[in-house]
Amino acid sequence: MTPARTASSRGTSGGSANDVLVSVDGHRIRLTNLEKVIYPETGTTKADVLRYYSEIADLMLPYVRDRAATRKRWVNGVGTAEHPGDMFFQKNLSDGTPTWVKRRAIEHSDHDNEYPLVNDRATLTWLAQIAALELHVPQWRFGRTGVRHNPDRLVLDLDPGDGTGLAECAEVAKYARELLQGMGLEPMPVTSGSKGIHLYAALDGSQTSDQVSAVAHELARILEADHPDLIVSDMKKTLRQGKVLVDWSQNNGSKTTVAPYSLRGRSHPMVAAPRTWRELASPSLAQLDFTEVLARVKRRGDPLAVITSSAGGEVSVESVSGASGSGSSGSSGSSRASSPETSEPDRLHTYRSKRDQAKTPEPVPDARPAPGGGNSFVIQKHNASRLHYDFRLEHDGVLVSWALPKGTPTETKVNHLAVQTEDHPLEYGSFEGTIPKGEYGEAWSRSGMKAPTTSRSGGMVKRSLRHCTARRRADSAAIVSSPSSTPVRAAVRRRPRTGSST
């Protein structure tokens, strides 16, 4: 991807001698006070800020487009570390906003705010002109008609407490990556331009902000439980000394995160810079300023682009955001019928839509599942791109399924994270075989975390416990109800041995 061109000057028309009237993508913008120093410690001027946002626009816009942008403005500059400049948050658009700036309103408890959508270089230039150095956006977008989409990305903010720094954040990022990969998600890091690291993973938009936030919270708790001397998930400052906070809360639909490639209002013009995992492993890892970011994207492009390309492009969430029913996954775009008997989706609709019966040895029954009173279960080992286990519990004619990123517990007092996937047919309980590469269709379901793509490495699915029957008990799985009412997460314990052989 090539860098953006700078705005072209069209001469002046009144105002200060230093004012310039420019045309940016057909929109006229007056740039003023270009020589004003915005970052005193580095001598970075307003003209430098404008030039940065113009050149980075093509890379930055995909991460802010159609998202309500909250701005942090430093109209008189950021000041110095000893004497910081005045800053204020701005949510609602002011009366002087150009009419061509796209906008959407969000209803709050006692008022509405109208937010800009940073969808083009002209809007980004205008924001830089009014010293909106930092742009903060939510993890969800507006649809074409103004409908609020479900989030299309998950974010974890790794924030170092006193006594820790970027190196510790990188270590935590590595642990989080392993857990997210076990869930079928591929996170990418962004050094925040402040002190920590943001991790982004693409989602398919079939979960609500509350659902995504709940899973992110559980991930933070799991990381804290696994690494209690390094990680904390509680935001109380008294608990953060010498530890890295895994801030999961920015997945809340009402919260925002500084956008990738945004400048920061620090004493130096640092940037929220997308990085590679190889960079995070380097002992010389450091935050980057805007000159370093511009230089590296010319050489390397955008390492974060994978989360936009893997999200599957634009999805009309207007058609799925209100979906309900036990068989709905929230996915769109599949032309495959749910079953030959009726056009209404059944509980295996999502399962069928992810598989091509002509290419996979997995069972893909056409018949609708018949409700039944069976109580079998199975734990399967799956050697895909990353080894994981799947727990399946028979309920009402299907195998309600969970992925176990960290495997099955070995002690009855230990809980492991389980993330619900789509329902599987009963025939899957006895399935064992090799799934061709690219045909493994299991993705996280509406009640769990859905991966942004169904194209994954093939692997061997092996039964690790003999398919057997046992009573459905509270300590075997925290969730036994239908998918339409199940929570996002479930703590699965190993079932104590009974008379059945395992």
Side-chain angles (χ1 to χ4, degrees):
M1 189 177 291
T2 58
R5 63 186 183 279
T6 57
S8 58
S9 173
R10 299 293 187 189
T12 62
S13 176
S16 166
N18 292 327
D19 292 359
V20 178
L21 188 63
V22 299
S23 177
V24 184
D25 295 340
H27 299 293
R28 291 160 65 87
I29 307 170
R30 183 175 299 282
L31 306 181
T32 62
N33 302 314
L34 296 178
E35 296 178 356
K36 177 188 285 188
V37 175
I38 302 297
Y39 293 87
E41 292 194 6
T42 59
T44 304
T45 65
K46 187 175 181 179
D48 295 324
V49 170
L50 284 158
R51 185 177 301 110
Y52 168 74
Y53 274 125
S54 179
E55 293 188 14
I56 206 66
D58 281 347
L59 298 186
M60 182 178 182
L61 289 174
Y63 307 112
V64 294
R65 182 175 287 116
D66 294 325
R67 302 178 195 271
T70 297
R71 292 82 70 207
K72 291 179 71 174
R73 295 177 60 186
W74 285 263
V75 295
N76 295 312
V78 302
T80 64
E82 295 76 16
H83 303 285
D86 293 332
M87 179 278 296
F88 65 94
F89 277 95
Q90 187 173 15
K91 296 184 178 181
N92 204 27
L93 285 171
S94 62
D95 293 339
T97 302
T99 57
W100 45 261
V101 172
K102 294 181 175 63
R103 61 200 74 194
R104 292 292 185 192
I106 295 180
E107 182 179 351
H108 297 277
S109 58
D110 58 352
H111 67 286
D112 290 355
N113 278 338
E114 198 169 46
Y115 293 80
L117 304 182
V118 189
N119 288 5
D120 49 54
R121 185 183 293 103
T123 302
L124 195 56
T125 301
W126 170 72
L127 290 170
Q129 155 61 25
I130 63 173
L133 301 180
E134 290 191 10
L135 302 180
H136 293 243
V137 294
Q139 311 317 314
W140 55 269
R141 296 180 298 169
F142 284 106
R144 292 184 300 274
T145 61
V147 172
R148 178 168 157 170
H149 285 195
N150 286 334
D152 59 355
R153 62 195 188 200
L154 173 147
V155 65
L156 296 177
D157 180 5
L158 311 182
D159 190 9
D162 292 342
T164 61
L166 198 58
E168 287 78 14
C169 289
E171 184 177 0
V172 174
K174 179 184 68 174
Y175 297 141
R177 183 191 190 193
E178 293 173 354
L179 190 56
L180 287 164
Q181 285 180 325
M183 296 170 59
L185 302 175
E186 187 56 60
M188 291 299 295
V190 173
T191 47
S192 69
S194 179
K195 296 183 295 183
I197 292 172
H198 299 156
L199 292 182
Y200 287 94
L203 304 176
D204 79 334
S206 64
Q207 292 81 42
T208 67
S209 292
D210 286 345
Q211 290 175 318
V212 175
S213 187
V215 170
H217 193 182
E218 189 67 16
L219 288 171
R221 288 172 173 168
I222 292 290
L223 289 166
E224 180 181 28
D226 287 349
H227 308 279
D229 295 332
L230 177 62
I231 297 173
V232 63
S233 63
D234 193 308
M235 298 183 191
K236 295 186 181 69
K237 288 189 176 181
T238 55
L239 302 176
R240 296 174 58 184
Q241 177 73 31
K243 297 183 179 182
V244 174
L245 169 68
V246 178
D247 184 356
W248 51 272
S249 69
Q250 293 175 32
N251 296 284
N252 184 303
S254 300
K255 293 194 174 184
T256 61
T257 306
V258 66
Y261 292 112
S262 173
L263 281 166
R264 304 305 307 267
R266 313 282 292 178
S267 57
H268 287 215
M270 311 308 288
V271 171
R275 311 297 288 269
T276 65
W277 285 104
R278 183 175 181 179
E279 287 179 292
L280 251 63
S282 171
S284 60
L285 178 68
Q287 303 287 348
L288 301 178
D289 68 20
F290 79 105
T291 59
E292 293 171 312
V293 168
L294 288 176
R296 75 192 300 276
V297 297
K298 289 179 181 178
R299 298 192 311 268
R300 306 182 183 184
D302 178 21
L304 191 60
V306 63
I307 77 163
T308 56
S309 61
S310 63
E314 296 289 335
V315 178
S316 180
V317 183
E318 286 93 335
S319 64
V320 301
S321 59
S324 62
S326 62
S328 174
S329 71
S331 298
S332 63
S334 173
S335 60
R336 181 170 182 159
S338 56
S339 80
E341 301 168 18
T342 177
S343 59
E344 289 297 317
D346 62 25
R347 292 184 62 175
L348 294 180
H349 170 71
T350 301
Y351 175 90
R352 295 190 196 96
S353 70
K354 303 297 183 183
R355 290 160 174 82
D356 185 339
Q357 193 168 15
K359 297 180 180 179
T360 180
E362 298 169 284
V364 188
D366 289 326
R368 297 174 65 87
N375 55 9
S376 62
F377 75 90
V378 66
I379 297 174
Q380 293 176 314
K381 180 179 179 181
H382 190 166
N383 279 315
S385 55
R386 181 174 175 83
L387 173 66
H388 71 276
Y389 291 81
D390 298 297
F391 172 68
R392 314 195 194 283
L393 179 67
E394 183 177 352
H395 181 65
D396 284 347
V398 298
L399 293 176
V400 184
S401 299
W402 292 266
L404 312 179
K406 297 178 68 64
T408 56
T410 57
E411 301 176 16
T412 57
K413 295 182 179 180
V414 174
N415 289 342
H416 279 185
L417 175 70
V419 185
Q420 191 173 1
T421 68
E422 74 268 22
D423 292 340
H424 282 50
L426 293 180
E427 294 89 337
Y428 215 97
S430 58
F431 172 69
E432 179 176 349
T434 299
I435 302 171
K437 184 176 181 179
E439 289 305 313
Y440 176 50
E442 180 173 279
W444 305 109
S445 75
R446 183 176 176 81
S447 297
M449 296 299 297
K450 189 168 183 179
T453 176
T454 59
S455 178
R456 302 171 69 185
S457 299
M460 173 71 74
V461 176
K462 185 176 183 180
R463 299 174 65 206
S464 59
L465 292 183
R466 184 168 62 85
H467 196 248
C468 61
T469 59
R471 293 180 57 195
R472 186 178 295 113
R473 297 171 50 172
D475 61 356
S476 68
I479 309 301
V480 295
S481 57
S482 67
S484 61
S485 60
T486 52
V488 177
R489 58 190 185 279
V492 178
R493 294 178 178 172
R494 180 182 294 276
R495 183 189 297 272
R497 288 179 180 268
T498 64
S500 299
S501 170
T502 58

